[in-house]
Amino acid sequence: MAASGLASRFVYSVYVNVNMSTHTTRLIDARSPSDRADAAQQAAGILDAGGIVGLGTETVYGLAGDAANGEAVARIYAAKGRPRFNPLIIHVLDLAMARREARFPEAAERLAAAFWPGPLTLVLPARDNCSASALARAGHDSIAIRRPGGFMADVIAALGRPLVAPSANRSGHVSATTAADVLADLGGRIDAVVDSGGTDVGVESTILDLTGPVPCLLRPGGIAREALEAHLGMRLATAAQAPAAPKAPGMLSSHYAPRAGVRLNATEIRPGEAYLGFGGQVPEGPAPIAAIDLSPEKNLIEAAARLFQALRRLDETGARSIAVAPIPDHGLGEAINDRLERAAAPRPAAE
Ligand code: TXA
Ligand code: MG
């Protein structure tokens, strides 16, 4: 007991205090193209005043704040219950804005030209005079930076300066791909959510560290490893294979977790389980209490786009566990399997 008490005190000490006063979260509608410009202006106004707002990108919804405003950044950590040692991605409008924050080695220039705007985050040496608050960088001298697509790009244009944005979910929980899912996790803790519809890619950006001698894949994501390797003409190191390489501090083993347990590579259903399928596979055993096939056509891009929605919907059935079909590990399958492995990992007692 003493040991577990110590462990939970340690876990508590690295989490920010989440005793926040609750207030009303505004829902701003930007689903119709005619509402987008006005919604972007409203969101930029709230952000300019130090507010924090859920905004859609092409990957998942982000919880955005003014990167230069330390108080807004602190509120993001508190609203998510995110450990403060875990730095945030800086979201920029274009390469010019990115170059003011970070130094771009030649490989970074080439990748940004090929893949931005898009689901690729580059970890680069931060400039001494970068605008991002020290808290957002969690004390690192590198900076994670990306140029997003989707509605968030309109808001950065309206605001005229960078936004920090972690995924808009409670820390450790499944990421949100709709405004309703953002509200379910963060309603009453943030100033507003803009509903710009569902997100296209469905999993977070790929994170590539370019601060070392070899490009290192810190997080598989919306751009497949194979596409980056083809573009750079070299194999990427992987954080797990290269113990000396820096890791993304946020890649704690339990993450993306629904309430239900998660059981991987399932070919049979056990009593009380829901089923997350792929490619029309039919599991053995009793009928699941609910089932969603991520892509009957075996399309990994479609499967990634539906992953977090499917986990949230199956979790809502109250199933004791979610049995997950085997999913191929190439292309976006690497990101899907990464998220599922973390969803299935043992959970810390304090969460
Ligand atoms: O698609 C995405 O990337 C979404 C959307 C909203 O842009 N954002 C997102 O943020 O997934 P978040 O905070 O959930 O994940 C960011 C990851 C964390 O694992 C964090 O540790 C890592 O990026 N990271 C941030 N700054 C870093 C740095 N300087 N070096 C290494 N890893 C870093
Ligand atoms: Mg996240």
Side-chain angles (χ1 to χ4, degrees), residues 27-51:
L27 180 61
I28 300 170
D29 193 352
R31 284 169 301 170
S32 129
S34 58
D35 289 336
R36 275 175 80 113
D38 186 53
Q41 285 298 338
Q42 284 186 59
I46 299 169
L47 291 159
D48 189 41

PDB file of all heavy atoms in Angstrom, residues 27-51:
ATOM      1  N   LEU A  27     -20.772  27.369 -28.325  1.00  0.00           N
ATOM      2  CA  LEU A  27     -20.665  26.547 -29.532  1.00  0.00           C
ATOM      3  C   LEU A  27     -20.896  27.461 -30.736  1.00  0.00           C
ATOM      4  O   LEU A  27     -21.956  28.077 -30.866  1.00  0.00           O
ATOM      5  CB  LEU A  27     -21.703  25.423 -29.498  1.00  0.00           C
ATOM      6  CG  LEU A  27     -21.698  24.489 -30.709  1.00  0.00           C
ATOM      7  CD1 LEU A  27     -20.354  23.767 -30.844  1.00  0.00           C
ATOM      8  CD2 LEU A  27     -22.825  23.457 -30.578  1.00  0.00           C
ATOM      9  N   ILE A  28     -19.872  27.588 -31.579  1.00  0.00           N
ATOM     10  CA  ILE A  28     -19.964  28.472 -32.749  1.00  0.00           C
ATOM     11  C   ILE A  28     -20.085  27.583 -33.988  1.00  0.00           C
ATOM     12  O   ILE A  28     -19.291  26.659 -34.178  1.00  0.00           O
ATOM     13  CB  ILE A  28     -18.699  29.368 -32.842  1.00  0.00           C
ATOM     14  CG1 ILE A  28     -18.575  30.226 -31.576  1.00  0.00           C
ATOM     15  CG2 ILE A  28     -18.732  30.225 -34.100  1.00  0.00           C
ATOM     16  CD1 ILE A  28     -17.248  30.972 -31.460  1.00  0.00           C
ATOM     17  N   ASP A  29     -21.071  27.875 -34.820  1.00  0.00           N
ATOM     18  CA  ASP A  29     -21.354  27.004 -35.971  1.00  0.00           C
ATOM     19  C   ASP A  29     -20.592  27.481 -37.208  1.00  0.00           C
ATOM     20  O   ASP A  29     -20.744  28.624 -37.631  1.00  0.00           O
ATOM     21  CB  ASP A  29     -22.860  27.023 -36.246  1.00  0.00           C
ATOM     22  CG  ASP A  29     -23.272  25.910 -37.199  1.00  0.00           C
ATOM     23  OD1 ASP A  29     -22.368  25.236 -37.754  1.00  0.00           O
ATOM     24  OD2 ASP A  29     -24.480  25.719 -37.382  1.00  0.00           O
ATOM     25  N   ALA A  30     -19.764  26.614 -37.773  1.00  0.00           N
ATOM     26  CA  ALA A  30     -19.046  26.961 -39.014  1.00  0.00           C
ATOM     27  C   ALA A  30     -19.201  25.834 -40.026  1.00  0.00           C
ATOM     28  O   ALA A  30     -18.336  25.630 -40.865  1.00  0.00           O
ATOM     29  CB  ALA A  30     -17.568  27.224 -38.715  1.00  0.00           C
ATOM     30  N   ARG A  31     -20.317  25.118 -39.937  1.00  0.00           N
ATOM     31  CA  ARG A  31     -20.465  23.983 -40.858  1.00  0.00           C
ATOM     32  C   ARG A  31     -20.759  24.443 -42.272  1.00  0.00           C
ATOM     33  O   ARG A  31     -20.364  23.800 -43.227  1.00  0.00           O
ATOM     34  CB  ARG A  31     -21.564  23.033 -40.360  1.00  0.00           C
ATOM     35  CG  ARG A  31     -21.094  22.170 -39.192  1.00  0.00           C
ATOM     36  CD  ARG A  31     -22.229  21.449 -38.561  1.00  0.00           C
ATOM     37  NE  ARG A  31     -23.221  22.391 -38.070  1.00  0.00           N
ATOM     38  CZ  ARG A  31     -24.427  22.083 -37.623  1.00  0.00           C
ATOM     39  NH1 ARG A  31     -24.803  20.823 -37.611  1.00  0.00           N
ATOM     40  NH2 ARG A  31     -25.258  23.005 -37.190  1.00  0.00           N
ATOM     41  N   SER A  32     -21.469  25.565 -42.409  1.00  0.00           N
ATOM     42  CA  SER A  32     -21.767  26.032 -43.765  1.00  0.00           C
ATOM     43  C   SER A  32     -20.665  27.002 -44.210  1.00  0.00           C
ATOM     44  O   SER A  32     -20.206  27.830 -43.415  1.00  0.00           O
ATOM     45  CB  SER A  32     -23.152  26.676 -43.772  1.00  0.00           C
ATOM     46  OG  SER A  32     -23.094  27.936 -44.365  1.00  0.00           O
ATOM     47  N   PRO A  33     -20.234  26.904 -45.484  1.00  0.00           N
ATOM     48  CA  PRO A  33     -19.141  27.772 -45.957  1.00  0.00           C
ATOM     49  C   PRO A  33     -19.426  29.248 -45.719  1.00  0.00           C
ATOM     50  O   PRO A  33     -18.507  30.022 -45.458  1.00  0.00           O
ATOM     51  CB  PRO A  33     -19.059  27.456 -47.456  1.00  0.00           C
ATOM     52  CG  PRO A  33     -19.680  26.101 -47.604  1.00  0.00           C
ATOM     53  CD  PRO A  33     -20.695  25.955 -46.500  1.00  0.00           C
ATOM     54  N   SER A  34     -20.715  29.640 -45.757  1.00  0.00           N
ATOM     55  CA  SER A  34     -21.028  31.066 -45.590  1.00  0.00           C
ATOM     56  C   SER A  34     -20.806  31.536 -44.145  1.00  0.00           C
ATOM     57  O   SER A  34     -20.697  32.734 -43.890  1.00  0.00           O
ATOM     58  CB  SER A  34     -22.470  31.349 -46.018  1.00  0.00           C
ATOM     59  OG  SER A  34     -23.334  30.557 -45.241  1.00  0.00           O
ATOM     60  N   ASP A  35     -20.730  30.600 -43.190  1.00  0.00           N
ATOM     61  CA  ASP A  35     -20.514  30.991 -41.787  1.00  0.00           C
ATOM     62  C   ASP A  35     -19.032  31.015 -41.395  1.00  0.00           C
ATOM     63  O   ASP A  35     -18.677  31.468 -40.305  1.00  0.00           O
ATOM     64  CB  ASP A  35     -21.200  29.982 -40.836  1.00  0.00           C
ATOM     65  CG  ASP A  35     -22.710  30.100 -40.890  1.00  0.00           C
ATOM     66  OD1 ASP A  35     -23.192  31.183 -41.266  1.00  0.00           O
ATOM     67  OD2 ASP A  35     -23.388  29.107 -40.576  1.00  0.00           O
ATOM     68  N   ARG A  36     -18.163  30.477 -42.272  1.00  0.00           N
ATOM     69  CA  ARG A  36     -16.779  30.225 -41.841  1.00  0.00           C
ATOM     70  C   ARG A  36     -15.993  31.489 -41.507  1.00  0.00           C
ATOM     71  O   ARG A  36     -15.307  31.542 -40.490  1.00  0.00           O
ATOM     72  CB  ARG A  36     -16.016  29.422 -42.916  1.00  0.00           C
ATOM     73  CG  ARG A  36     -16.225  27.934 -42.781  1.00  0.00           C
ATOM     74  CD  ARG A  36     -15.564  27.217 -43.936  1.00  0.00           C
ATOM     75  NE  ARG A  36     -14.139  27.066 -43.753  1.00  0.00           N
ATOM     76  CZ  ARG A  36     -13.536  25.892 -43.567  1.00  0.00           C
ATOM     77  NH1 ARG A  36     -14.228  24.782 -43.516  1.00  0.00           N
ATOM     78  NH2 ARG A  36     -12.220  25.843 -43.448  1.00  0.00           N
ATOM     79  N   ALA A  37     -16.120  32.510 -42.383  1.00  0.00           N
ATOM     80  CA  ALA A  37     -15.306  33.713 -42.172  1.00  0.00           C
ATOM     81  C   ALA A  37     -15.705  34.383 -40.858  1.00  0.00           C
ATOM     82  O   ALA A  37     -14.838  34.800 -40.067  1.00  0.00           O
ATOM     83  CB  ALA A  37     -15.469  34.674 -43.343  1.00  0.00           C
ATOM     84  N   ASP A  38     -17.007  34.481 -40.613  1.00  0.00           N
ATOM     85  CA  ASP A  38     -17.477  35.113 -39.380  1.00  0.00           C
ATOM     86  C   ASP A  38     -17.045  34.293 -38.157  1.00  0.00           C
ATOM     87  O   ASP A  38     -16.593  34.843 -37.144  1.00  0.00           O
ATOM     88  CB  ASP A  38     -19.010  35.241 -39.447  1.00  0.00           C
ATOM     89  CG  ASP A  38     -19.532  36.023 -38.264  1.00  0.00           C
ATOM     90  OD1 ASP A  38     -19.031  37.140 -38.055  1.00  0.00           O
ATOM     91  OD2 ASP A  38     -20.396  35.495 -37.537  1.00  0.00           O
ATOM     92  N   ALA A  39     -17.153  32.961 -38.269  1.00  0.00           N
ATOM     93  CA  ALA A  39     -16.761  32.096 -37.144  1.00  0.00           C
ATOM     94  C   ALA A  39     -15.260  32.226 -36.864  1.00  0.00           C
ATOM     95  O   ALA A  39     -14.836  32.239 -35.706  1.00  0.00           O
ATOM     96  CB  ALA A  39     -17.131  30.638 -37.454  1.00  0.00           C
ATOM     97  N   ALA A  40     -14.467  32.333 -37.933  1.00  0.00           N
ATOM     98  CA  ALA A  40     -13.011  32.474 -37.745  1.00  0.00           C
ATOM     99  C   ALA A  40     -12.701  33.780 -37.025  1.00  0.00           C
ATOM    100  O   ALA A  40     -11.838  33.828 -36.143  1.00  0.00           O
ATOM    101  CB  ALA A  40     -12.288  32.404 -39.088  1.00  0.00           C
ATOM    102  N   GLN A  41     -13.420  34.853 -37.377  1.00  0.00           N
ATOM    103  CA  GLN A  41     -13.218  36.151 -36.703  1.00  0.00           C
ATOM    104  C   GLN A  41     -13.601  36.059 -35.229  1.00  0.00           C
ATOM    105  O   GLN A  41     -12.890  36.560 -34.352  1.00  0.00           O
ATOM    106  CB  GLN A  41     -14.059  37.252 -37.377  1.00  0.00           C
ATOM    107  CG  GLN A  41     -13.515  37.726 -38.711  1.00  0.00           C
ATOM    108  CD  GLN A  41     -12.124  38.349 -38.617  1.00  0.00           C
ATOM    109  OE1 GLN A  41     -11.699  38.806 -37.541  1.00  0.00           O
ATOM    110  NE2 GLN A  41     -11.383  38.331 -39.714  1.00  0.00           N
ATOM    111  N   GLN A  42     -14.735  35.409 -34.953  1.00  0.00           N
ATOM    112  CA  GLN A  42     -15.173  35.267 -33.546  1.00  0.00           C
ATOM    113  C   GLN A  42     -14.138  34.485 -32.744  1.00  0.00           C
ATOM    114  O   GLN A  42     -13.780  34.857 -31.626  1.00  0.00           O
ATOM    115  CB  GLN A  42     -16.495  34.514 -33.477  1.00  0.00           C
ATOM    116  CG  GLN A  42     -17.705  35.318 -33.866  1.00  0.00           C
ATOM    117  CD  GLN A  42     -18.969  34.484 -33.600  1.00  0.00           C
ATOM    118  OE1 GLN A  42     -19.217  34.067 -32.479  1.00  0.00           O
ATOM    119  NE2 GLN A  42     -19.732  34.248 -34.653  1.00  0.00           N
ATOM    120  N   ALA A  43     -13.669  33.365 -33.318  1.00  0.00           N
ATOM    121  CA  ALA A  43     -12.692  32.539 -32.605  1.00  0.00           C
ATOM    122  C   ALA A  43     -11.405  33.329 -32.381  1.00  0.00           C
ATOM    123  O   ALA A  43     -10.821  33.295 -31.290  1.00  0.00           O
ATOM    124  CB  ALA A  43     -12.407  31.259 -33.392  1.00  0.00           C
ATOM    125  N   ALA A  44     -10.974  34.073 -33.406  1.00  0.00           N
ATOM    126  CA  ALA A  44      -9.735  34.858 -33.273  1.00  0.00           C
ATOM    127  C   ALA A  44      -9.886  35.907 -32.177  1.00  0.00           C
ATOM    128  O   ALA A  44      -8.943  36.170 -31.423  1.00  0.00           O
ATOM    129  CB  ALA A  44      -9.376  35.510 -34.611  1.00  0.00           C
ATOM    130  N   GLY A  45     -11.086  36.492 -32.053  1.00  0.00           N
ATOM    131  CA  GLY A  45     -11.339  37.482 -31.003  1.00  0.00           C
ATOM    132  C   GLY A  45     -11.193  36.872 -29.613  1.00  0.00           C
ATOM    133  O   GLY A  45     -10.580  37.466 -28.717  1.00  0.00           O
ATOM    134  N   ILE A  46     -11.749  35.678 -29.436  1.00  0.00           N
ATOM    135  CA  ILE A  46     -11.661  35.005 -28.123  1.00  0.00           C
ATOM    136  C   ILE A  46     -10.201  34.655 -27.817  1.00  0.00           C
ATOM    137  O   ILE A  46      -9.711  34.837 -26.703  1.00  0.00           O
ATOM    138  CB  ILE A  46     -12.540  33.732 -28.116  1.00  0.00           C
ATOM    139  CG1 ILE A  46     -14.010  34.089 -28.358  1.00  0.00           C
ATOM    140  CG2 ILE A  46     -12.375  32.972 -26.806  1.00  0.00           C
ATOM    141  CD1 ILE A  46     -14.910  32.877 -28.635  1.00  0.00           C
ATOM    142  N   LEU A  47      -9.473  34.170 -28.842  1.00  0.00           N
ATOM    143  CA  LEU A  47      -8.064  33.787 -28.649  1.00  0.00           C
ATOM    144  C   LEU A  47      -7.204  35.013 -28.360  1.00  0.00           C
ATOM    145  O   LEU A  47      -6.296  34.974 -27.515  1.00  0.00           O
ATOM    146  CB  LEU A  47      -7.551  33.050 -29.891  1.00  0.00           C
ATOM    147  CG  LEU A  47      -8.179  31.666 -30.096  1.00  0.00           C
ATOM    148  CD1 LEU A  47      -8.049  31.221 -31.548  1.00  0.00           C
ATOM    149  CD2 LEU A  47      -7.520  30.646 -29.162  1.00  0.00           C
ATOM    150  N   ASP A  48      -7.499  36.115 -29.043  1.00  0.00           N
ATOM    151  CA  ASP A  48      -6.740  37.349 -28.854  1.00  0.00           C
ATOM    152  C   ASP A  48      -6.878  37.849 -27.415  1.00  0.00           C
ATOM    153  O   ASP A  48      -5.946  38.423 -26.845  1.00  0.00           O
ATOM    154  CB  ASP A  48      -7.255  38.411 -29.836  1.00  0.00           C
ATOM    155  CG  ASP A  48      -6.373  39.637 -29.848  1.00  0.00           C
ATOM    156  OD1 ASP A  48      -5.138  39.478 -29.819  1.00  0.00           O
ATOM    157  OD2 ASP A  48      -6.919  40.758 -29.863  1.00  0.00           O
ATOM    158  N   ALA A  49      -8.039  37.579 -26.814  1.00  0.00           N
ATOM    159  CA  ALA A  49      -8.288  38.007 -25.431  1.00  0.00           C
ATOM    160  C   ALA A  49      -7.792  36.978 -24.410  1.00  0.00           C
ATOM    161  O   ALA A  49      -8.083  37.088 -23.227  1.00  0.00           O
ATOM    162  CB  ALA A  49      -9.781  38.258 -25.244  1.00  0.00           C
ATOM    163  N   GLY A  50      -7.067  35.944 -24.872  1.00  0.00           N
ATOM    164  CA  GLY A  50      -6.492  34.970 -23.941  1.00  0.00           C
ATOM    165  C   GLY A  50      -7.373  33.744 -23.710  1.00  0.00           C
ATOM    166  O   GLY A  50      -7.080  32.924 -22.840  1.00  0.00           O
ATOM    167  N   GLY A  51      -8.453  33.604 -24.505  1.00  0.00           N
ATOM    168  CA  GLY A  51      -9.338  32.449 -24.345  1.00  0.00           C
ATOM    169  C   GLY A  51      -8.771  31.196 -24.990  1.00  0.00           C
ATOM    170  O   GLY A  51      -7.775  31.246 -25.723  1.00  0.00           O
TER     171      GLY A  51
END
